[in-house]
Structure formats: C-alpha cells, structure tokens
PDB file of all heavy atoms in Angstrom:
ATOM      1  N   GLU P 111     -13.884   4.355  -1.410  1.00 53.00           N
ATOM      2  CA  GLU P 111     -12.556   4.538  -1.575  1.00 53.00           C
ATOM      3  C   GLU P 111     -12.207   6.018  -1.349  1.00 53.00           C
ATOM      4  O   GLU P 111     -12.867   6.847  -1.698  1.00 53.00           O
ATOM      5  CB  GLU P 111     -12.041   3.928  -2.941  1.00 53.00           C
ATOM      6  CG  GLU P 111     -12.200   2.468  -3.000  1.00 53.00           C
ATOM      7  CD  GLU P 111     -11.663   1.996  -4.345  1.00 53.00           C
ATOM      8  OE1 GLU P 111     -11.737   2.661  -5.343  1.00 53.00           O
ATOM      9  OE2 GLU P 111     -10.996   0.982  -4.399  1.00 53.00           O
ATOM     10  N   THR P 112     -10.945   6.177  -0.813  1.00 83.00           N
ATOM     11  CA  THR P 112     -10.456   7.521  -0.719  1.00 83.00           C
ATOM     12  C   THR P 112      -9.273   7.631  -1.704  1.00 83.00           C
ATOM     13  O   THR P 112      -8.441   6.904  -1.762  1.00 83.00           O
ATOM     14  CB  THR P 112      -9.861   7.661   0.679  1.00 83.00           C
ATOM     15  OG1 THR P 112     -10.913   7.480   1.717  1.00 83.00           O
ATOM     16  CG2 THR P 112      -9.257   9.059   0.921  1.00 83.00           C
ATOM     17  N   ASN P 113      -9.258   8.626  -2.437  1.00 90.00           N
ATOM     18  CA  ASN P 113      -8.382   8.992  -3.521  1.00 90.00           C
ATOM     19  C   ASN P 113      -7.434  10.015  -3.069  1.00 90.00           C
ATOM     20  O   ASN P 113      -7.672  11.122  -2.645  1.00 90.00           O
ATOM     21  CB  ASN P 113      -9.174   9.511  -4.690  1.00 90.00           C
ATOM     22  CG  ASN P 113      -8.237   9.529  -5.991  1.00 90.00           C
ATOM     23  OD1 ASN P 113      -7.307  10.275  -6.106  1.00 90.00           O
ATOM     24  ND2 ASN P 113      -8.695   8.741  -6.954  1.00 90.00           N
ATOM     25  N   PHE P 114      -6.045   9.664  -3.201  1.00 94.00           N
ATOM     26  CA  PHE P 114      -4.968  10.467  -2.852  1.00 94.00           C
ATOM     27  C   PHE P 114      -4.199  10.850  -4.076  1.00 94.00           C
ATOM     28  O   PHE P 114      -4.291  10.296  -5.136  1.00 94.00           O
ATOM     29  CB  PHE P 114      -4.052   9.732  -1.905  1.00 94.00           C
ATOM     30  CG  PHE P 114      -4.566   9.423  -0.570  1.00 94.00           C
ATOM     31  CD1 PHE P 114      -5.121   8.214  -0.185  1.00 94.00           C
ATOM     32  CD2 PHE P 114      -4.773  10.491   0.410  1.00 94.00           C
ATOM     33  CE1 PHE P 114      -5.573   7.994   1.027  1.00 94.00           C
ATOM     34  CE2 PHE P 114      -5.247  10.273   1.628  1.00 94.00           C
ATOM     35  CZ  PHE P 114      -5.797   8.943   2.004  1.00 94.00           C
ATOM     36  N   LYS P 115      -3.432  11.895  -3.850  1.00 92.00           N
ATOM     37  CA  LYS P 115      -2.524  12.336  -5.015  1.00 92.00           C
ATOM     38  C   LYS P 115      -1.308  11.263  -4.986  1.00 92.00           C
ATOM     39  O   LYS P 115      -0.910  10.760  -6.052  1.00 92.00           O
ATOM     40  CB  LYS P 115      -2.014  13.695  -4.740  1.00 92.00           C
ATOM     41  CG  LYS P 115      -0.914  14.193  -5.715  1.00 92.00           C
ATOM     42  CD  LYS P 115      -1.468  14.253  -7.120  1.00 92.00           C
ATOM     43  CE  LYS P 115      -2.496  15.418  -7.362  1.00 92.00           C
ATOM     44  NZ  LYS P 115      -3.023  15.503  -8.680  1.00 92.00           N
ATOM     45  N   THR P 116      -0.650  11.078  -3.824  1.00 94.00           N
ATOM     46  CA  THR P 116       0.551  10.271  -3.737  1.00 94.00           C
ATOM     47  C   THR P 116       0.542   9.453  -2.466  1.00 94.00           C
ATOM     48  O   THR P 116       0.041   9.969  -1.335  1.00 94.00           O
ATOM     49  CB  THR P 116       1.766  11.179  -3.614  1.00 94.00           C
ATOM     50  OG1 THR P 116       1.868  11.861  -4.999  1.00 94.00           O
ATOM     51  CG2 THR P 116       3.064  10.282  -3.615  1.00 94.00           C
ATOM     52  N   ILE P 117       0.862   8.133  -2.545  1.00 97.00           N
ATOM     53  CA  ILE P 117       1.079   7.299  -1.368  1.00 97.00           C
ATOM     54  C   ILE P 117       2.430   6.688  -1.436  1.00 97.00           C
ATOM     55  O   ILE P 117       2.941   6.350  -2.513  1.00 97.00           O
ATOM     56  CB  ILE P 117       0.075   6.098  -1.398  1.00 97.00           C
ATOM     57  CG1 ILE P 117      -1.374   6.637  -1.148  1.00 97.00           C
ATOM     58  CG2 ILE P 117       0.413   5.054  -0.371  1.00 97.00           C
ATOM     59  CD1 ILE P 117      -2.437   5.594  -1.218  1.00 97.00           C
ATOM     60  N   VAL P 118       3.105   6.729  -0.266  1.00 98.00           N
ATOM     61  CA  VAL P 118       4.515   6.194  -0.164  1.00 98.00           C
ATOM     62  C   VAL P 118       4.454   5.006   0.773  1.00 98.00           C
ATOM     63  O   VAL P 118       4.070   5.008   1.973  1.00 98.00           O
ATOM     64  CB  VAL P 118       5.611   7.178   0.316  1.00 98.00           C
ATOM     65  CG1 VAL P 118       6.799   6.634   0.377  1.00 98.00           C
ATOM     66  CG2 VAL P 118       5.492   8.488  -0.546  1.00 98.00           C
ATOM     67  N   LEU P 119       4.912   3.823   0.328  1.00 98.00           N
ATOM     68  CA  LEU P 119       5.101   2.576   1.114  1.00 98.00           C
ATOM     69  C   LEU P 119       6.580   2.104   1.083  1.00 98.00           C
ATOM     70  O   LEU P 119       7.199   2.337   0.092  1.00 98.00           O
ATOM     71  CB  LEU P 119       4.160   1.412   0.613  1.00 98.00           C
ATOM     72  CG  LEU P 119       2.674   1.653   0.516  1.00 98.00           C
ATOM     73  CD1 LEU P 119       2.067   0.378  -0.082  1.00 98.00           C
ATOM     74  CD2 LEU P 119       2.065   1.999   1.812  1.00 98.00           C
ATOM     75  N   SER P 120       7.041   1.559   2.216  1.00 97.00           N
ATOM     76  CA  SER P 120       8.346   1.027   2.152  1.00 97.00           C
ATOM     77  C   SER P 120       8.486  -0.055   3.174  1.00 97.00           C
ATOM     78  O   SER P 120       7.465  -0.433   3.992  1.00 97.00           O
ATOM     79  CB  SER P 120       9.421   2.075   2.656  1.00 97.00           C
ATOM     80  OG  SER P 120       9.199   2.470   4.022  1.00 97.00           O
ATOM     81  N   ASP P 121       9.496  -0.876   2.960  1.00 96.00           N
ATOM     82  CA  ASP P 121       9.775  -2.043   3.930  1.00 96.00           C
ATOM     83  C   ASP P 121       8.642  -3.006   4.167  1.00 96.00           C
ATOM     84  O   ASP P 121       8.264  -3.293   5.213  1.00 96.00           O
ATOM     85  CB  ASP P 121      10.243  -1.381   5.331  1.00 96.00           C
ATOM     86  CG  ASP P 121      11.469  -0.589   5.177  1.00 96.00           C
ATOM     87  OD1 ASP P 121      12.545  -1.113   5.292  1.00 96.00           O
ATOM     88  OD2 ASP P 121      11.324   0.663   4.994  1.00 96.00           O
ATOM     89  N   ILE P 122       8.133  -3.582   2.984  1.00 97.00           N
ATOM     90  CA  ILE P 122       7.082  -4.559   3.054  1.00 97.00           C
ATOM     91  C   ILE P 122       7.751  -5.960   3.298  1.00 97.00           C
ATOM     92  O   ILE P 122       7.205  -6.833   3.888  1.00 97.00           O
ATOM     93  CB  ILE P 122       6.267  -4.576   1.715  1.00 97.00           C
ATOM     94  CG1 ILE P 122       5.598  -3.168   1.515  1.00 97.00           C
ATOM     95  CG2 ILE P 122       5.240  -5.668   1.733  1.00 97.00           C
ATOM     96  CD1 ILE P 122       4.854  -3.034   0.180  1.00 97.00           C
ATOM     97  N   HIS P 123       8.923  -6.101   2.821  1.00 95.00           N
ATOM     98  CA  HIS P 123       9.679  -7.278   3.026  1.00 95.00           C
ATOM     99  C   HIS P 123       8.961  -8.649   2.606  1.00 95.00           C
ATOM    100  O   HIS P 123       8.953  -9.601   3.368  1.00 95.00           O
ATOM    101  CB  HIS P 123      10.088  -7.435   4.531  1.00 95.00           C
ATOM    102  CG  HIS P 123      11.118  -6.460   4.939  1.00 95.00           C
ATOM    103  ND1 HIS P 123      12.445  -6.624   4.782  1.00 95.00           N
ATOM    104  CD2 HIS P 123      11.017  -5.260   5.575  1.00 95.00           C
ATOM    105  CE1 HIS P 123      13.167  -5.618   5.178  1.00 95.00           C
ATOM    106  NE2 HIS P 123      12.259  -4.645   5.715  1.00 95.00           N
ATOM    107  N   LEU P 124       8.502  -8.527   1.345  1.00 95.00           N
ATOM    108  CA  LEU P 124       7.850  -9.729   0.703  1.00 95.00           C
ATOM    109  C   LEU P 124       8.846 -10.900   0.658  1.00 95.00           C
ATOM    110  O   LEU P 124      10.035 -10.713   0.348  1.00 95.00           O
ATOM    111  CB  LEU P 124       7.277  -9.393  -0.601  1.00 95.00           C
ATOM    112  CG  LEU P 124       6.256  -8.356  -0.655  1.00 95.00           C
ATOM    113  CD1 LEU P 124       5.910  -8.077  -2.196  1.00 95.00           C
ATOM    114  CD2 LEU P 124       5.010  -8.733   0.057  1.00 95.00           C
ATOM    115  N   GLY P 125       8.461 -12.055   1.041  1.00 93.00           N
ATOM    116  CA  GLY P 125       9.349 -13.279   1.084  1.00 93.00           C
ATOM    117  C   GLY P 125       9.675 -13.669   2.501  1.00 93.00           C
ATOM    118  O   GLY P 125      10.336 -14.687   2.657  1.00 93.00           O
ATOM    119  N   THR P 126       9.253 -12.936   3.442  1.00 90.00           N
ATOM    120  CA  THR P 126       9.477 -13.276   4.869  1.00 90.00           C
ATOM    121  C   THR P 126       8.142 -13.593   5.661  1.00 90.00           C
ATOM    122  O   THR P 126       7.058 -13.195   5.089  1.00 90.00           O
ATOM    123  CB  THR P 126      10.144 -12.116   5.632  1.00 90.00           C
ATOM    124  OG1 THR P 126       9.157 -11.004   5.723  1.00 90.00           O
ATOM    125  CG2 THR P 126      11.376 -11.595   4.778  1.00 90.00           C
ATOM    126  N   LYS P 127       8.364 -14.317   6.664  1.00 85.00           N
ATOM    127  CA  LYS P 127       7.063 -14.692   7.433  1.00 85.00           C
ATOM    128  C   LYS P 127       6.412 -13.471   8.081  1.00 85.00           C
ATOM    129  O   LYS P 127       5.167 -13.399   8.215  1.00 85.00           O
ATOM    130  CB  LYS P 127       7.517 -15.672   8.460  1.00 85.00           C
ATOM    131  CG  LYS P 127       7.869 -17.066   7.976  1.00 85.00           C
ATOM    132  CD  LYS P 127       8.313 -17.951   9.199  1.00 85.00           C
ATOM    133  CE  LYS P 127       8.681 -19.319   8.629  1.00 85.00           C
ATOM    134  NZ  LYS P 127       9.095 -20.287   9.797  1.00 85.00           N
ATOM    135  N   GLY P 128       7.177 -12.387   8.361  1.00 86.00           N
ATOM    136  CA  GLY P 128       6.695 -11.275   9.087  1.00 86.00           C
ATOM    137  C   GLY P 128       5.883 -10.316   8.146  1.00 86.00           C
ATOM    138  O   GLY P 128       5.287  -9.445   8.689  1.00 86.00           O
ATOM    139  N   SER P 129       6.157 -10.480   6.838  1.00 91.00           N
ATOM    140  CA  SER P 129       5.562  -9.413   5.928  1.00 91.00           C
ATOM    141  C   SER P 129       3.995  -9.612   5.919  1.00 91.00           C
ATOM    142  O   SER P 129       3.377 -10.665   5.892  1.00 91.00           O
ATOM    143  CB  SER P 129       5.940  -9.784   4.565  1.00 91.00           C
ATOM    144  OG  SER P 129       5.434  -8.889   3.540  1.00 91.00           O
ATOM    145  N   LYS P 130       3.369  -8.372   6.052  1.00 94.00           N
ATOM    146  CA  LYS P 130       1.938  -8.387   6.139  1.00 94.00           C
ATOM    147  C   LYS P 130       1.360  -8.044   4.751  1.00 94.00           C
ATOM    148  O   LYS P 130       0.723  -7.152   4.406  1.00 94.00           O
ATOM    149  CB  LYS P 130       1.442  -7.322   7.031  1.00 94.00           C
ATOM    150  CG  LYS P 130       1.938  -7.424   8.549  1.00 94.00           C
ATOM    151  CD  LYS P 130       1.449  -8.690   9.150  1.00 94.00           C
ATOM    152  CE  LYS P 130       1.801  -8.828  10.627  1.00 94.00           C
ATOM    153  NZ  LYS P 130       3.313  -8.837  10.825  1.00 94.00           N
ATOM    154  N   ALA P 131       1.565  -9.053   3.874  1.00 96.00           N
ATOM    155  CA  ALA P 131       1.153  -8.942   2.423  1.00 96.00           C
ATOM    156  C   ALA P 131      -0.329  -8.816   2.265  1.00 96.00           C
ATOM    157  O   ALA P 131      -0.777  -7.917   1.354  1.00 96.00           O
ATOM    158  CB  ALA P 131       1.761 -10.158   1.590  1.00 96.00           C
ATOM    159  N   LYS P 132      -1.068  -9.482   2.943  1.00 96.00           N
ATOM    160  CA  LYS P 132      -2.597  -9.460   2.777  1.00 96.00           C
ATOM    161  C   LYS P 132      -3.053  -8.106   3.213  1.00 96.00           C
ATOM    162  O   LYS P 132      -3.961  -7.643   2.510  1.00 96.00           O
ATOM    163  CB  LYS P 132      -3.143 -10.471   3.602  1.00 96.00           C
ATOM    164  CG  LYS P 132      -3.002 -11.953   3.163  1.00 96.00           C
ATOM    165  CD  LYS P 132      -3.754 -13.005   4.072  1.00 96.00           C
ATOM    166  CE  LYS P 132      -3.389 -14.343   3.611  1.00 96.00           C
ATOM    167  NZ  LYS P 132      -4.273 -15.377   4.443  1.00 96.00           N
ATOM    168  N   GLU P 133      -2.475  -7.568   4.283  1.00 96.00           N
ATOM    169  CA  GLU P 133      -2.834  -6.255   4.669  1.00 96.00           C
ATOM    170  C   GLU P 133      -2.443  -5.103   3.671  1.00 96.00           C
ATOM    171  O   GLU P 133      -3.224  -4.200   3.448  1.00 96.00           O
ATOM    172  CB  GLU P 133      -2.200  -5.925   6.033  1.00 96.00           C
ATOM    173  CG  GLU P 133      -2.802  -6.607   7.193  1.00 96.00           C
ATOM    174  CD  GLU P 133      -2.191  -8.100   7.388  1.00 96.00           C
ATOM    175  OE1 GLU P 133      -1.492  -8.543   6.499  1.00 96.00           O
ATOM    176  OE2 GLU P 133      -2.622  -8.751   8.353  1.00 96.00           O
ATOM    177  N   VAL P 134      -1.289  -5.275   3.007  1.00 97.00           N
ATOM    178  CA  VAL P 134      -0.861  -4.402   1.943  1.00 97.00           C
ATOM    179  C   VAL P 134      -1.883  -4.349   0.828  1.00 97.00           C
ATOM    180  O   VAL P 134      -2.313  -3.283   0.376  1.00 97.00           O
ATOM    181  CB  VAL P 134       0.486  -4.736   1.405  1.00 97.00           C
ATOM    182  CG1 VAL P 134       0.878  -3.760   0.233  1.00 97.00           C
ATOM    183  CG2 VAL P 134       1.564  -4.526   2.512  1.00 97.00           C
ATOM    184  N   VAL P 135      -2.323  -5.525   0.405  1.00 97.00           N
ATOM    185  CA  VAL P 135      -3.259  -5.615  -0.720  1.00 97.00           C
ATOM    186  C   VAL P 135      -4.549  -4.999  -0.362  1.00 97.00           C
ATOM    187  O   VAL P 135      -5.190  -4.242  -1.106  1.00 97.00           O
ATOM    188  CB  VAL P 135      -3.401  -7.146  -1.066  1.00 97.00           C
ATOM    189  CG1 VAL P 135      -4.669  -7.238  -2.108  1.00 97.00           C
ATOM    190  CG2 VAL P 135      -2.214  -7.663  -1.672  1.00 97.00           C
ATOM    191  N   ARG P 136      -5.093  -5.257   0.913  1.00 96.00           N
ATOM    192  CA  ARG P 136      -6.242  -4.663   1.380  1.00 96.00           C
ATOM    193  C   ARG P 136      -6.182  -3.123   1.477  1.00 96.00           C
ATOM    194  O   ARG P 136      -7.092  -2.451   1.137  1.00 96.00           O
ATOM    195  CB  ARG P 136      -6.700  -5.282   2.747  1.00 96.00           C
ATOM    196  CG  ARG P 136      -8.080  -5.044   3.120  1.00 96.00           C
ATOM    197  CD  ARG P 136      -8.456  -5.637   4.439  1.00 96.00           C
ATOM    198  NE  ARG P 136      -9.746  -5.609   4.817  1.00 96.00           N
ATOM    199  CZ  ARG P 136     -10.335  -5.782   6.006  1.00 96.00           C
ATOM    200  NH1 ARG P 136      -9.483  -6.060   7.063  1.00 96.00           N
ATOM    201  NH2 ARG P 136     -11.632  -5.577   6.290  1.00 96.00           N
ATOM    202  N   PHE P 137      -5.095  -2.702   1.962  1.00 96.00           N
ATOM    203  CA  PHE P 137      -4.858  -1.199   1.923  1.00 96.00           C
ATOM    204  C   PHE P 137      -4.895  -0.570   0.593  1.00 96.00           C
ATOM    205  O   PHE P 137      -5.527   0.418   0.405  1.00 96.00           O
ATOM    206  CB  PHE P 137      -3.512  -0.946   2.594  1.00 96.00           C
ATOM    207  CG  PHE P 137      -3.109   0.482   2.578  1.00 96.00           C
ATOM    208  CD1 PHE P 137      -3.537   1.329   3.693  1.00 96.00           C
ATOM    209  CD2 PHE P 137      -2.301   1.116   1.734  1.00 96.00           C
ATOM    210  CE1 PHE P 137      -3.215   2.653   3.646  1.00 96.00           C
ATOM    211  CE2 PHE P 137      -1.920   2.374   1.631  1.00 96.00           C
ATOM    212  CZ  PHE P 137      -2.520   3.204   2.676  1.00 96.00           C
ATOM    213  N   LEU P 138      -4.191  -1.226  -0.369  1.00 96.00           N
ATOM    214  CA  LEU P 138      -4.191  -0.707  -1.777  1.00 96.00           C
ATOM    215  C   LEU P 138      -5.539  -0.841  -2.484  1.00 96.00           C
ATOM    216  O   LEU P 138      -5.866  -0.041  -3.406  1.00 96.00           O
ATOM    217  CB  LEU P 138      -3.046  -1.377  -2.597  1.00 96.00           C
ATOM    218  CG  LEU P 138      -1.709  -1.082  -2.113  1.00 96.00           C
ATOM    219  CD1 LEU P 138      -0.673  -1.868  -2.952  1.00 96.00           C
ATOM    220  CD2 LEU P 138      -1.398   0.404  -2.151  1.00 96.00           C
ATOM    221  N   LYS P 139      -6.355  -1.736  -2.024  1.00 94.00           N
ATOM    222  CA  LYS P 139      -7.681  -1.738  -2.540  1.00 94.00           C
ATOM    223  C   LYS P 139      -8.599  -0.719  -1.916  1.00 94.00           C
ATOM    224  O   LYS P 139      -9.641  -0.260  -2.601  1.00 94.00           O
ATOM    225  CB  LYS P 139      -8.332  -3.193  -2.302  1.00 94.00           C
ATOM    226  CG  LYS P 139      -7.804  -4.290  -3.159  1.00 94.00           C
ATOM    227  CD  LYS P 139      -8.529  -5.562  -2.817  1.00 94.00           C
ATOM    228  CE  LYS P 139      -7.929  -6.701  -3.749  1.00 94.00           C
ATOM    229  NZ  LYS P 139      -8.576  -8.010  -3.451  1.00 94.00           N
ATOM    230  N   GLN P 140      -8.255  -0.281  -0.753  1.00 93.00           N
ATOM    231  CA  GLN P 140      -9.169   0.741  -0.086  1.00 93.00           C
ATOM    232  C   GLN P 140      -8.868   2.172  -0.631  1.00 93.00           C
ATOM    233  O   GLN P 140      -9.735   2.950  -0.714  1.00 93.00           O
ATOM    234  CB  GLN P 140      -8.783   0.625   1.398  1.00 93.00           C
ATOM    235  CG  GLN P 140      -9.563   1.654   2.236  1.00 93.00           C
ATOM    236  CD  GLN P 140     -10.937   1.199   2.602  1.00 93.00           C
ATOM    237  OE1 GLN P 140     -11.389   0.150   2.234  1.00 93.00           O
ATOM    238  NE2 GLN P 140     -11.637   1.981   3.334  1.00 93.00           N
ATOM    239  N   TYR P 141      -7.586   2.404  -1.067  1.00 93.00           N
ATOM    240  CA  TYR P 141      -7.236   3.743  -1.534  1.00 93.00           C
ATOM    241  C   TYR P 141      -6.809   3.704  -2.918  1.00 93.00           C
ATOM    242  O   TYR P 141      -6.152   2.754  -3.424  1.00 93.00           O
ATOM    243  CB  TYR P 141      -6.048   4.299  -0.542  1.00 93.00           C
ATOM    244  CG  TYR P 141      -6.490   4.400   0.862  1.00 93.00           C
ATOM    245  CD1 TYR P 141      -5.961   3.531   1.889  1.00 93.00           C
ATOM    246  CD2 TYR P 141      -7.362   5.508   1.180  1.00 93.00           C
ATOM    247  CE1 TYR P 141      -6.456   3.656   3.173  1.00 93.00           C
ATOM    248  CE2 TYR P 141      -7.723   5.596   2.525  1.00 93.00           C
ATOM    249  CZ  TYR P 141      -7.293   4.727   3.508  1.00 93.00           C
ATOM    250  OH  TYR P 141      -7.712   4.981   4.691  1.00 93.00           O
ATOM    251  N   GLN P 142      -6.936   4.795  -3.605  1.00 92.00           N
ATOM    252  CA  GLN P 142      -6.455   5.038  -4.900  1.00 92.00           C
ATOM    253  C   GLN P 142      -5.467   6.182  -4.906  1.00 92.00           C
ATOM    254  O   GLN P 142      -5.604   7.107  -3.984  1.00 92.00           O
ATOM    255  CB  GLN P 142      -7.571   5.386  -5.907  1.00 92.00           C
ATOM    256  CG  GLN P 142      -8.481   4.225  -6.108  1.00 92.00           C
ATOM    257  CD  GLN P 142      -9.537   4.565  -7.147  1.00 92.00           C
ATOM    258  OE1 GLN P 142      -9.985   5.716  -7.160  1.00 92.00           O
ATOM    259  NE2 GLN P 142     -10.175   3.577  -7.768  1.00 92.00           N
ATOM    260  N   CYS P 143      -4.480   6.194  -5.807  1.00 95.00           N
ATOM    261  CA  CYS P 143      -3.635   7.340  -5.841  1.00 95.00           C
ATOM    262  C   CYS P 143      -3.055   7.536  -7.313  1.00 95.00           C
ATOM    263  O   CYS P 143      -3.141   6.590  -8.146  1.00 95.00           O
ATOM    264  CB  CYS P 143      -2.450   7.113  -4.890  1.00 95.00           C
ATOM    265  SG  CYS P 143      -1.489   5.656  -5.340  1.00 95.00           S
ATOM    266  N   GLU P 144      -2.658   8.794  -7.671  1.00 95.00           N
ATOM    267  CA  GLU P 144      -2.039   8.997  -8.853  1.00 95.00           C
ATOM    268  C   GLU P 144      -0.612   8.631  -8.924  1.00 95.00           C
ATOM    269  O   GLU P 144      -0.131   8.242  -9.994  1.00 95.00           O
ATOM    270  CB  GLU P 144      -2.154  10.479  -9.215  1.00 95.00           C
ATOM    271  CG  GLU P 144      -3.586  11.070  -9.399  1.00 95.00           C
ATOM    272  CD  GLU P 144      -3.686  12.465  -9.611  1.00 95.00           C
ATOM    273  OE1 GLU P 144      -2.695  13.143 -10.007  1.00 95.00           O
ATOM    274  OE2 GLU P 144      -4.782  13.064  -9.600  1.00 95.00           O
ATOM    275  N   ASN P 145       0.062   8.664  -7.778  1.00 96.00           N
ATOM    276  CA  ASN P 145       1.470   8.298  -7.788  1.00 96.00           C
ATOM    277  C   ASN P 145       1.662   7.313  -6.580  1.00 96.00           C
ATOM    278  O   ASN P 145       1.192   7.572  -5.386  1.00 96.00           O
ATOM    279  CB  ASN P 145       2.433   9.432  -7.537  1.00 96.00           C
ATOM    280  CG  ASN P 145       2.183  10.572  -8.480  1.00 96.00           C
ATOM    281  OD1 ASN P 145       2.462  10.392  -9.637  1.00 96.00           O
ATOM    282  ND2 ASN P 145       1.581  11.724  -8.045  1.00 96.00           N
ATOM    283  N   LEU P 146       2.234   6.187  -6.773  1.00 98.00           N
ATOM    284  CA  LEU P 146       2.607   5.196  -5.789  1.00 98.00           C
ATOM    285  C   LEU P 146       4.043   5.049  -5.714  1.00 98.00           C
ATOM    286  O   LEU P 146       4.693   4.616  -6.708  1.00 98.00           O
ATOM    287  CB  LEU P 146       1.856   3.832  -6.035  1.00 98.00           C
ATOM    288  CG  LEU P 146       2.281   2.644  -5.030  1.00 98.00           C
ATOM    289  CD1 LEU P 146       1.798   3.023  -3.584  1.00 98.00           C
ATOM    290  CD2 LEU P 146       1.752   1.328  -5.509  1.00 98.00           C
ATOM    291  N   ILE P 147       4.746   5.323  -4.600  1.00 98.00           N
ATOM    292  CA  ILE P 147       6.173   5.248  -4.482  1.00 98.00           C
ATOM    293  C   ILE P 147       6.485   4.089  -3.503  1.00 98.00           C
ATOM    294  O   ILE P 147       6.012   4.144  -2.360  1.00 98.00           O
ATOM    295  CB  ILE P 147       6.858   6.595  -3.992  1.00 98.00           C
ATOM    296  CG1 ILE P 147       6.530   7.688  -4.886  1.00 98.00           C
ATOM    297  CG2 ILE P 147       8.311   6.412  -3.731  1.00 98.00           C
ATOM    298  CD1 ILE P 147       6.980   9.123  -4.393  1.00 98.00           C
ATOM    299  N   LEU P 148       7.085   3.031  -3.966  1.00 98.00           N
ATOM    300  CA  LEU P 148       7.542   1.872  -3.288  1.00 98.00           C
ATOM    301  C   LEU P 148       9.014   2.147  -2.950  1.00 98.00           C
ATOM    302  O   LEU P 148       9.914   1.863  -3.671  1.00 98.00           O
ATOM    303  CB  LEU P 148       7.339   0.637  -4.078  1.00 98.00           C
ATOM    304  CG  LEU P 148       5.955   0.407  -4.626  1.00 98.00           C
ATOM    305  CD1 LEU P 148       5.912  -0.855  -5.568  1.00 98.00           C
ATOM    306  CD2 LEU P 148       4.931   0.182  -3.463  1.00 98.00           C
ATOM    307  N   ASN P 149       9.223   2.623  -1.607  1.00 97.00           N
ATOM    308  CA  ASN P 149      10.546   3.148  -1.270  1.00 97.00           C
ATOM    309  C   ASN P 149      11.470   2.074  -0.604  1.00 97.00           C
ATOM    310  O   ASN P 149      11.830   2.218   0.555  1.00 97.00           O
ATOM    311  CB  ASN P 149      10.286   4.327  -0.390  1.00 97.00           C
ATOM    312  CG  ASN P 149      11.577   5.126  -0.255  1.00 97.00           C
ATOM    313  OD1 ASN P 149      12.559   4.972  -0.933  1.00 97.00           O
ATOM    314  ND2 ASN P 149      11.676   6.134   0.548  1.00 97.00           N
TER     315      ASN P 149
END
C-alpha cells in the first residue's frame, strides 16, 4: 500500500448504473491517507 497525506475524490454518483463503486473500494484499499476529502 502507498500512504498519502491527503486524497480527494469527487463525483462518484453512488446510486447510478454508471458509478464505479467497486473500483472506488479497490482504490481505497490500495491506498491509505491521513485526510480523505469527498468533494
């Protein structure tokens, strides 16, 4: 895993067919951070 100070994610659009929810979870498992901003 790669550890970051801060990660910013936006526009996940959970609840829609186009949302890549599985990929988001996999991404967040791959990386760690002290601050996560969901914008």
